[in-house]
Amino acid sequence: MLSVQNIDKSFDSLQVIQDLSFEVKDGEFVAIIGPSGSGKSTLFQLIGGVSSIDKGAILLDGTDIQQKRGTIGYMPQQPCLLPWRTILENVTIVEELQQKPNVELAKEWLAKVGLASFINAYPNELSGGMQQRVSFIRAIVSDKPILCLDEPFSALDEFTRLEMQAWLLSIWEKYRKSILFVTHSIEEALFLADRIIVLSKRPATIKQEIIVPFARPRQEEIRHSETFTALKEQLFMFLKEEKDDAYVD
């Protein structure tokens, strides 16, 4: 379980995060939404050990992971694949850096997501959606207890984005890795997550938490339901309040 406890983070005189606390349980899919500039990416840097917190604690299964890199799986907005490495080599690069590459596991996962015939291909030979699958597999083969996905589908066209959402859910429902998912899309958060955390404007704190009521496995039809529409409107109003407040500060 990931436990973020009363953390603060500032950059010089700019406070980005203030007294922020939440948990992600084992096997839970939690989405984070918030206004632009509210500190979502900074939060991932803190969880991943790239940057240090000013106050509070970040615990993973009870262990303090403050400034400890390599404790989480991470998938950025862009696939960030090295163009001179094959797909298989891109998947194993994190484990290579830790001097324990598991080539067979990487091959197994690439086969599971329909990319077995592309292991010797290069990134420019793959579509955007296929590159995102490779990026996700690179994160998952690291075998970390939680995956942090930072707007992983934001650069994709609408059709590919919907396809990747369904694909991600199919993988998650089978293996139930804990996922913390940052997105700007309210609809994406509602379709994917068990729980949605709404951040306030900077300095970020939790404005609201919503339990998503839809059964698993998720069906596309829920996007057209009255409940989905009502929750989407509710979340939109939460974000609009934060944006409107930002203009009068």
Side-chain angles (χ1 to χ4, degrees):
M1 179 177 72
L2 176 72
S3 180
V4 175
Q5 301 178 353
N6 307 105
I7 66 170
D8 286 358
K9 178 61 181 179
S10 297
F11 295 98
D12 296 323
S13 61
L14 179 65
Q15 186 162 17
V16 179
I17 295 173
Q18 181 178 38
D19 197 31
L20 183 65
S21 298
F22 65 89
E23 293 181 344
V24 180
K25 300 180 179 66
D26 292 341
E28 189 178 23
F29 197 129
V30 176
I32 294 180
I33 61 175
S36 295
S38 61
K40 299 182 292 296
S41 294
T42 298
L43 176 61
F44 271 14
Q45 292 173 7
L46 298 174
I47 294 171
V50 176
S51 184
S52 62
I53 58 176
D54 300 331
K55 190 193 80 170
I58 301 176
L59 307 178
L60 186 60
D61 295 330
T63 300
D64 185 355
I65 59 171
Q66 164 79 267
Q67 287 191 287
K68 292 183 179 179
R69 301 190 184 191
T71 58
I72 65 166
Y74 176 67
M75 182 177 174
Q77 295 179 24
Q78 301 294 331
C80 298
L81 305 179
L82 299 178
W84 60 88
R85 292 177 67 102
T86 66
I87 297 310
L88 180 61
E89 290 169 344
N90 267 285
V91 169
T92 59
I93 188 170
V94 175
E95 301 308 290
E96 282 181 31
L97 294 173
Q98 298 175 352
Q99 298 184 342
K100 52 178 183 179
N102 191 332
V103 174
E104 292 308 312
L105 179 62
K107 287 181 178 179
E108 288 176 16
W109 268 104
L110 287 168
K112 288 175 183 177
V113 302
L115 294 175
S117 61
F118 292 91
I119 61 173
N120 295 317
Y122 290 88
N124 68 336
E125 300 176 64
L126 273 61
S127 68
M130 293 167 75
Q131 290 185 29
Q132 286 298 81
R133 292 187 188 192
V134 174
S135 181
F136 180 77
I137 297 306
R138 181 175 57 193
I140 206 170
V141 297
S142 62
D143 199 29
K144 306 304 181 189
I146 186 166
L147 301 179
C148 291
L149 313 185
D150 189 0
E151 298 188 70
F153 309 143
S154 61
L156 301 177
D157 64 79
E158 186 65 17
F159 180 81
T160 305
R161 184 182 183 123
L162 294 175
E163 185 180 66
M164 288 300 297
Q165 290 171 8
W167 174 83
L168 175 60
L169 279 186
S170 70
I171 297 294
W172 175 81
E173 285 166 355
K174 186 172 183 179
Y175 297 98
R176 290 294 172 124
K177 285 270 189 180
S178 300
I179 289 180
L180 188 60
F181 188 99
V182 164
T183 179
H184 274 106
S185 169
I186 294 173
E187 186 168 319
E188 184 170 68
L190 282 170
F191 184 68
L192 295 176
D194 296 311
R195 182 161 49 97
I196 299 172
I197 295 172
V198 184
L199 297 184
S200 69
K201 66 182 185 301
R202 190 174 60 236
T205 188
I206 293 181
K207 178 180 178 67
Q208 192 67 247
E209 284 193 35
I210 289 181
I211 305 297
V212 180
F214 306 114
R216 301 282 191 185
R218 295 279 160 84
Q219 304 296 325
E220 284 290 335
E221 290 74 19
I222 67 169
R223 297 181 191 267
H224 310 293
S225 69
E226 291 183 4
T227 302
F228 193 96
T229 301
L231 286 172
K232 185 177 177 179
E233 178 65 21
Q234 183 181 1
L235 288 164
F236 176 81
M237 293 307 298
F238 287 148
L239 294 178
K240 185 176 185 299
E241 288 169 6
E242 290 302 308
K243 184 176 181 180
D244 289 347
D245 287 346
Y247 288 113
V248 298
D249 280 354

